[in-house]
Amino acid sequence: MSTEAKQNEKIAAAVMGYGTIGSGVVEILEKNRDVIAKKVGKEIEAKYILDLREFPGTPVEHKIVHDIAAITEDPAVKIVVEAMGGVHPAYEFAKACLMTGKHVVTSNKALVAACGTELLQIAREKQVNFLFEASTGGGIPVIRTMYRSLAGEKIEEITGILNGTTNYILTKMDRCGQTFESALKEAQDLGYAERNPEADVEGHDTCRKIAILTAMATGKEVNYEDIPTEGITRITDMDFKYAEKLGRSVKLFGSSRIEGDKVTAFVAPVMIGPEHPLYSVNDVYNGIVIKGNMLGTSMYFGSGAGKLPTASAVVADMMEAAIYEGENIPLGWTEEKQEIEPWENASFRYFLRISGNSQSKKEKVTEVFPDGEIVELSGCCEFGVLTSKMSGAELNQKKAAISDVIGLIRAE
């Protein structure tokens, strides 16, 4: 069969959920159909769109279905995109599609973090694929990079700015001196933050993403609920004034440190300097740093969310599934559990704010942290200290000797 004839063939796909991401997927399949067909060998076409709504008068109205059976019972459908969000019924629908021998592609980090182990196992058994490139970095191709380009590496560390909403808020606090509350409202007004921003600002979104990346690195299941998580709601404009004095900034990190079988993972605000690769990742952008034992440090930067960037990653997974039709791609993790070490054992520098600025109190802090750097702001009835590197357990012992600690941020 000629190349031209093959490209005239079509692979039938279905999209479950016609919201921001689902509509973006359909848009890309239409606008980039030629480049997709050239690279895959066949055009990928959305045959069905599963949604509760009807979309009358739109180009997709004749593709709308309301029953998952329309997709699972059609043997022509080879690839299904889950773009509904949440865990239920996304899990039940994704599982049903895999069980009937269809590839499933998702951008849903909640689904992957909660049910990825089972869905990956079903995909292996059915010789299809469960692919989730867009679940951790939006449009940043980090999952495929890990199982393709970094396949020969032992991953030693993954650290990322994995949430555009929180990064936007912290950037506004840093650059414009805004309070957390005003920066959050601006993010909501611009559509970067939800009306209920808890998943973002409390770090839950980042937590699920670092759990997925850690599982990819270790090959073992990582329970996101085991990962200590702090959000950005306690970060103040005063913290950024101190950070500016120190020539630093504050970012929300999802991080995983891997030493043999031991893994320390956490989500927390971290004070970093210009020498850090993620220092210049601002606004709604995401950045991910991966350290391998042979390659060393590499960094991946781009749009971590948004309709078309995320949909672009989903379509790339659809193309991979189409190319490997009838074959399971070795990726992901097994049912073996990965234990997460107590993060009190992890070493950081710490920035502490201390109420009062008497000389005796500063002398006491210097005595407790002899290698620390005292930081003062003019006209303030408080001061700060940036400590040397130590474990969380050691910090807690030293803190007990100091009264009136009013703030704490980890630092690198």
Side-chain angles (χ1 to χ4, degrees):
M1 184 181 292
S2 69
T3 301
E4 183 177 354
K6 284 183 68 178
Q7 289 181 11
N8 287 332
E9 294 183 24
K10 294 181 180 180
I11 298 173
V15 177
M16 300 191 297
Y18 197 63
T20 301
I21 306 306
S23 62
V25 169
V26 174
E27 181 179 338
I28 292 173
L29 290 177
E30 177 65 27
K31 288 186 175 179
N32 285 4
R33 68 166 72 184
D34 292 341
V35 68
I36 292 169
K38 183 177 181 180
K39 292 178 179 178
V40 172
K42 300 178 182 179
E43 182 181 328
I44 301 175
E45 181 180 58
K47 183 177 182 179
Y48 300 113
I49 296 172
L50 178 72
D51 204 285
L52 296 173
R53 298 162 291 177
E54 294 292 347
F55 301 98
T58 70
V60 300
E61 64 176 326
H62 64 288
K63 299 183 178 185
I64 298 295
V65 296
H66 304 300
D67 189 346
I68 183 65
I71 297 170
T72 57
E73 294 178 6
D74 187 343
V77 174
K78 303 298 182 183
I79 304 168
V80 180
V81 173
E82 184 284 302
M84 297 181 292
V87 177
H88 302 289
Y91 160 71
E92 289 80 7
F93 288 3
K95 181 177 180 179
C97 292
L98 290 169
M99 292 295 290
T100 53
K102 305 178 191 304
H103 302 288
V104 172
V105 174
T106 185
S107 61
N108 186 345
K109 67 266 181 182
L111 174 66
V112 180
C115 309
T117 304
E118 180 185 356
L119 297 176
L120 282 165
Q121 183 57 37
I122 294 171
R124 295 182 191 112
E125 292 170 357
K126 296 294 182 178
Q127 283 299 295
V128 291
N129 292 288
F130 177 61
L131 302 172
F132 44 90
E133 177 64 76
S135 67
T136 57
I140 303 173
V142 64
I143 297 290
R144 189 167 290 107
T145 297
M146 291 180 72
Y147 74 80
R148 295 282 192 211
S149 302
L150 302 180
E153 292 285 327
K154 289 183 180 179
I155 304 300
E156 297 178 339
E157 183 175 340
I158 304 168
T159 295
I161 295 171
L162 300 170
N163 183 277
T165 300
T166 52
N167 203 40
Y168 180 85
I169 292 170
L170 293 175
T171 299
K172 285 296 179 180
M173 294 176 72
D174 186 9
R175 291 180 170 178
C176 305
Q178 292 182 224
T179 64
F180 169 80
E181 291 76 15
S182 66
L184 170 59
K185 184 179 185 305
E186 183 173 319
Q188 289 172 323
D189 292 342
L190 292 170
Y192 296 147
E194 302 288 344
R195 289 299 104 187
N196 179 1
E198 181 180 351
D200 294 323
V201 300
E202 295 294 353
H204 304 317
D205 177 82
T206 297
C207 177
R208 286 170 171 80
K209 291 175 179 178
I210 195 61
I212 294 167
L213 292 172
T214 305
M216 286 292 301
T218 63
K220 300 178 183 179
E221 181 183 66
V222 175
N223 186 344
Y224 66 91
E225 294 178 336
D226 293 340
I227 297 177
T229 300
E230 291 181 7
I232 64 169
T233 55
R234 295 181 182 177
I235 301 299
T236 70
D237 52 333
M238 187 66 74
D239 292 317
F240 277 100
K241 290 178 182 178
Y242 281 109
E244 182 181 14
K245 189 80 178 283
L246 289 162
R248 293 170 169 259
S249 187
V250 179
K251 306 289 186 181
L252 182 69
F253 278 1
S255 188
S256 181
R257 302 173 183 178
I258 304 166
E259 298 180 20
D261 293 332
K262 292 185 176 181
V263 175
T264 303
F266 66 89
V267 175
V270 180
M271 189 178 284
I272 58 173
E275 70 284 353
H276 196 289
L278 297 174
Y279 178 83
S280 298
V281 178
N282 293 309
D283 296 315
V284 294
Y285 287 99
N286 285 190
I288 305 165
V289 171
I290 300 178
K291 181 180 178 183
N293 68 327
M294 296 291 112
L295 173 65
T297 299
S298 56
M299 179 176 167
Y300 310 88
F301 168 85
S303 296
K307 176 179 178 178
L308 294 180
T310 304
S312 175
V314 171
V315 170
D317 272 349
M318 297 176 73
M319 293 170 67
E320 180 122 329
I323 291 168
Y324 289 90
E325 185 176 351
E327 180 181 347
N328 177 258
I329 303 166
L331 69 93
W333 53 89
T334 68
E335 295 178 350
E336 184 179 358
K337 302 291 191 294
Q338 175 62 61
E339 297 296 325
I340 303 298
E341 295 290 307
W343 74 335
E344 288 82 1
N345 299 342
S347 293
F348 298 90
R349 299 181 75 183
Y350 293 89
F351 178 74
L352 282 71
R353 286 172 52 202
I354 298 154
S355 178
N357 60 357
S358 66
Q359 186 60 34
S360 61
K361 186 167 287 190
K362 292 172 192 170
E363 289 173 356
K364 179 63 176 178
V365 170
T366 301
E367 178 185 329
V368 174
F369 299 108
D371 298 322
E373 179 181 352
I374 298 292
V375 189
E376 298 183 73
L377 299 175
S378 61
C380 289
C381 296
E382 61 173 74
F383 66 98
V385 58
L386 180 63
T387 76
S388 58
K389 203 169 185 179
M390 65 186 68
S391 70
E394 185 179 357
L395 174 76
N396 289 335
Q397 289 180 343
K398 291 179 176 291
K399 268 179 61 182
I402 304 172
S403 60
D404 301 324
V405 175
I406 58 174
L408 183 152
I409 303 174
R410 288 161 183 81
E412 291 189 2

